[in-house]
Amino acid sequence: DICGSGTKKVHAILNYKDENYLTNRNIRCKDDELTHIYTMIVKPDQSYQVLIDNEEVQSGNIVDHWDMLPEKRIKDPAASKPEDWVDQEHISDPDDVKPEGWDDEPEYVVDPDAEKPGDWDDELDGEWEAPQIPNPEYKGEWTPKEIDNPDFQGPWIHPMIDNPDYYTDETIYSFDSHAFIGLEIWQ
């Protein structure tokens, strides 16, 4: 699949229990102007190989590289983050005080170099107002500095448990027929 400049990948798809599964690995395809042979070999030991022009570009275990079986471990549904858990690493310094006069300067000021146009007519155009420019003295919105939170407990990690729905399938590689051919012609 070559789609724009960002997508250049081989879609290695296996069918298991009447559902199609795309590999969870990123297999880069050839993106030149030549013709290429793509081959996928599935073996009885649950391993596979993807070849491009008879050179291996990816291999591994089907169970690990396709998400066909339930996860071995799942987040414990009975566990939840304690309400008093502190995972905010930094806080505003309560001792940091806004400097006096911080807000005295406006964000914009009248352009001192602006002049009323010679053809300006107050009756027709209304009262002339000089344009505003960014104030070089403006300091922006004040925020207190950040300090380490003394109550920080670190990120909360959800406990994992063995998945009661997990199972293994030693025949995941098996198909009624292993003789497939796919042709895709681009011009």
Side-chain angles (χ1 to χ4, degrees):
D1 180 16
I2 298 177
C3 190
S5 62
T7 303
K8 293 178 168 85
K9 66 189 260 179
V10 173
H11 289 276
I13 300 170
L14 291 176
N15 186 287
Y16 179 68
K17 294 188 176 180
D18 294 325
E19 280 193 52
N20 290 331
Y21 292 89
L22 177 64
T23 182
N24 56 29
R25 298 293 190 249
N26 188 16
I27 307 171
R28 191 148 172 91
C29 68
K30 301 280 186 177
D31 60 354
D32 54 29
E33 304 266 331
L34 303 174
T35 301
H36 298 282
I37 298 173
Y38 290 80
T39 307
M40 184 167 172
I41 301 168
V42 177
K43 300 178 183 176
D45 65 355
Q46 310 275 52
S47 67
Y48 75 97
Q49 290 176 284
V50 174
L51 313 174
I52 300 177
D53 298 331
N54 286 329
E55 288 185 25
E56 182 179 293
V57 293
Q58 182 71 49
S59 65
N61 185 286
I62 294 171
V63 174
D64 297 333
H65 294 188
W66 275 264
D67 300 322
M68 296 187 257
L69 299 178
E71 296 285 330
K72 289 181 184 179
R73 299 192 40 88
I74 59 171
K75 291 180 179 179
D76 184 351
S80 61
K81 181 170 133 181
E83 290 194 24
D84 61 348
W85 188 271
V86 179
D87 56 5
Q88 185 176 356
E89 189 173 356
H90 298 96
I91 58 171
S92 298
D93 184 351
D95 298 328
D96 195 14
V97 180
K98 184 191 307 188
E100 196 165 314
W102 184 275
D103 295 325
D104 291 351
E105 294 292 333
E107 186 174 357
Y108 294 96
V109 293
V110 173
D111 183 353
D113 299 328
E115 295 180 9
K116 182 177 179 179
D119 61 347
W120 189 272
D121 185 338
D122 286 341
E123 277 188 31
L124 291 173
D125 301 324
E127 186 179 336
W128 183 79
E129 293 181 16
Q132 304 248 326
I133 60 171
N135 182 356
E137 303 295 318
Y138 179 68
K139 298 176 185 164
E141 185 178 333
W142 182 83
T143 54
K145 66 180 178 183
E146 297 272 303
I147 61 170
D148 290 340
N149 186 349
D151 299 326
F152 177 62
Q153 296 173 278
W156 185 76
I157 299 172
H158 203 120
M160 303 294 280
I161 62 169
D162 290 336
N163 184 355
D165 297 329
Y166 176 74
Y167 61 90
T168 59
D169 185 346
E170 298 302 320
T171 63
I172 206 165
Y173 72 92
S174 182
F175 295 90
D176 292 337
S177 169
H178 280 82
F180 303 101
I181 186 167
L183 298 175
E184 185 169 351
I185 300 173
W186 286 67
Q187 193 170 13

